[in-house]
Amino acid sequence: RGRGGAGGGRWAAVALLAIAFVQPTGLELSGSWLGWPRDASWEPWWRGDPRRTGVAALARDVSPVDPGGAGEFLQGRLAAEGPFRYAGYGGVGRPEQWPPTPNYMERRLDPAIGAILTNGRPLALGLYDVQGYDPLQLGRYVEFVAALNGYPIDYHVAYVMPEGVGSPLLDLLDVRYLVVDAALPVTRDDVAVIAANAREVFRSGRAVVYQRLANPPHAWVVHEGRSVARGEALPLLTSGAVDPRRTALVEGALPPGLAEAGTLEPVGPEPPPLESARVERYEPERIELAVTMGTPGLLVVSEVWESGWRAYVGGERVAIVPTFHALRGVPVPAGESRVVLRYEPPALRAGLAVSGGTLVLMLIACGAAGWDRGRRSRRSRFAIAGSSRDSRRRSWGPRSRLPSRRASPPSA
């Protein structure tokens, strides 16, 4: 039974591998190796010999470098500026575009799409994008991107559409750069909007990088707020009715230290010189900021709000409030503070506790089984040794017990 189970497991693994390669992505991959696109409509994606072009595109997508490209440029800016985000823009409605959709995932083998750093490129390059494919997107972010573009798109994807390239919501996401397909003429309406609100800072044969004039921060402080219900903040932001650098739109009651909107004297667009918010550590599950406040207020961090994140100010835990529909707001007192954001979802902690307890029980069970097996093994050895001694005694005991070797006396 053991051998049959092991064989069944091996065959199950082979079957799973075979299933993976009959899925569309697997067929594309095998087609790039063997040169037989199963679907003729894939042929334009390979742009030549699929055994060469397809493999080269896959290698490019997972490469941590982009020599001479927009990726190398943005890596340099990230090292100099600290965390920021960008958006790759390939346009829609191009006559030569195939398929005729803005879905960069479907066009991932197109060199032009690789050059604007969409799909998995930011992950490989260590950069931060606002776009991508994810079947489990947070609802708040889906709603935010829909408001940015002016209409919803397929929930699997999040892309900046032509209607969204000039949206003020890009500032809230800290989008400082737009990477545009160099083949798009500047006379196009969407590219003209980008060029009017940004300046060109890099150009290669396939991509143009524009730095947005807004130059949004990754974190900033505000001292007045307005309480809104979920869904009310986005129309106020897209219409320009609220300046997010001055007024925070907070869901629920305003946290302590945040004045009601309209009760403070107007100030300039920049915070007072004595106030600042600087990101000092930026990791997937931990963010640390150094904050200086003249008076108590709210620290707004350009990170998507999610209930699993916890905030600590000076080592004390404080509540994170949903701000601007999808961002995080952290109440901060006057003076200098160190703010730490950590991802600590209760479900994850409970899962770790259960897994740790299960591991301990398994170790105890394995130890008990090993001890019991050793005890039975020692008993077995003792029993065998005792049986051997008894056998020797029976074989070599006193001569009186052995049959006599003398001949029996003749009978009378």
Side-chain angles (χ1 to χ4, degrees):
R1 181 178 299 177
R3 289 193 297 271
R10 285 193 295 269
W11 282 113
V14 172
L16 287 174
L17 187 61
I19 291 173
F21 277 91
V22 299
Q23 296 296 317
T25 302
L27 287 175
E28 293 172 25
L29 185 62
S30 59
S32 70
W33 293 339
L34 304 176
W36 49 268
R38 184 181 181 87
D39 188 337
S41 63
W42 293 351
E43 187 60 33
W45 291 2
W46 304 110
R47 298 186 184 277
D49 186 350
R51 291 169 294 184
R52 293 195 300 269
T53 312
V55 172
L58 293 171
R60 176 202 62 214
D61 285 347
V62 299
S63 174
V65 296
D66 185 25
E72 184 178 63
F73 173 81
L74 291 181
Q75 285 175 330
R77 301 314 304 154
L78 180 64
E81 301 176 12
F84 62 81
R85 298 191 182 92
Y86 74 93
Y89 185 72
V92 297
R94 293 167 49 184
E96 72 279 12
Q97 179 175 309
W98 191 97
T101 70
N103 194 332
Y104 301 139
M105 183 193 66
E106 294 180 358
R107 299 167 56 198
R108 59 189 172 276
L109 297 178
D110 188 333
I113 297 303
I116 62 174
L117 311 179
T118 57
N119 299 321
R121 292 299 286 137
L123 182 63
L125 294 169
L127 300 172
Y128 307 104
D129 192 3
V130 296
Q131 303 180 123
Y133 170 93
D134 189 349
L136 298 176
Q137 293 186 54
L138 294 175
R140 287 182 181 271
Y141 194 70
V142 173
E143 295 160 0
F144 193 93
V145 173
L148 186 151
N149 289 317
Y151 55 89
I153 56 179
D154 189 318
Y155 76 95
H156 290 97
V157 295
Y159 296 131
V160 176
M161 304 296 285
E163 296 82 356
V165 293
S167 172
L169 296 186
L170 293 175
D171 295 346
L172 295 177
L173 294 179
D174 189 16
V175 177
R176 299 185 200 174
Y177 298 92
L178 293 171
V179 185
V180 181
D181 185 351
L184 297 178
V186 73
T187 54
R188 282 179 48 127
D189 291 343
D190 49 357
V191 181
V193 170
I194 293 174
N197 295 280
R199 61 187 180 94
E200 182 180 323
V201 292
F202 174 85
R203 178 180 289 268
S204 68
R206 291 193 178 277
V208 182
V209 179
Y210 290 92
Q211 183 175 3
R212 300 181 63 244
L213 299 178
N215 194 30
H218 200 83
W220 64 99
V221 296
V222 295
H223 294 281
E224 68 175 37
R226 177 174 170 180
S227 177
V228 296
R230 178 167 179 172
E232 292 181 351
L234 293 176
L236 295 172
L237 292 168
T238 55
S239 65
V242 173
D243 179 5
R245 298 293 298 275
R246 172 178 169 81
T247 304
L249 300 178
V250 178
E251 291 186 16
L254 296 182
L258 200 61
E260 186 69 33
T263 61
L264 298 179
E265 292 295 328
V267 296
E270 297 296 328
L274 296 180
E275 296 192 334
S276 63
R278 184 178 68 258
V279 178
E280 294 191 335
R281 181 177 177 181
Y282 194 75
E283 299 174 353
E285 297 181 355
R286 184 184 181 96
I287 302 172
E288 297 183 8
L289 305 98
V291 182
T292 301
M293 304 279 281
T295 58
L298 188 73
L299 170 69
V300 181
V301 186
S302 180
E303 299 290 333
V304 178
W305 185 90
E306 201 275 332
S307 59
W309 281 87
R310 302 287 182 264
Y312 300 87
V313 178
E316 298 293 329
R317 180 177 167 183
V318 298
I320 301 177
V321 294
T323 307
F324 299 125
H325 188 79
L327 304 188
R328 306 175 195 170
V330 182
V332 178
E336 296 184 355
S337 302
R338 188 166 192 84
V339 178
V340 178
L341 304 179
R342 295 204 301 256
Y343 188 57
E344 300 173 341
L348 178 60
R349 299 178 69 176
L352 290 175
V354 172
S355 298
T358 302
L359 177 61
V360 170
L361 292 176
M362 289 179 62
L363 293 175
I364 293 175
C366 290
W371 180 83
D372 183 64
R373 182 174 181 178
R375 182 170 57 86
R376 285 184 293 174
S377 177
R378 289 193 297 273
R379 284 183 177 179
S380 178
R381 289 198 301 271
F382 293 154
I384 293 174
S387 176
S388 298
R389 287 194 297 271
D390 292 343
S391 176
R392 286 196 298 272
R393 289 194 190 101
R394 288 193 298 269
S395 300
W396 305 100
R399 295 182 62 86
S400 59
R401 294 184 180 181
L402 297 177
S404 175
R405 294 183 180 179
R406 298 178 181 177
S408 300
S411 56

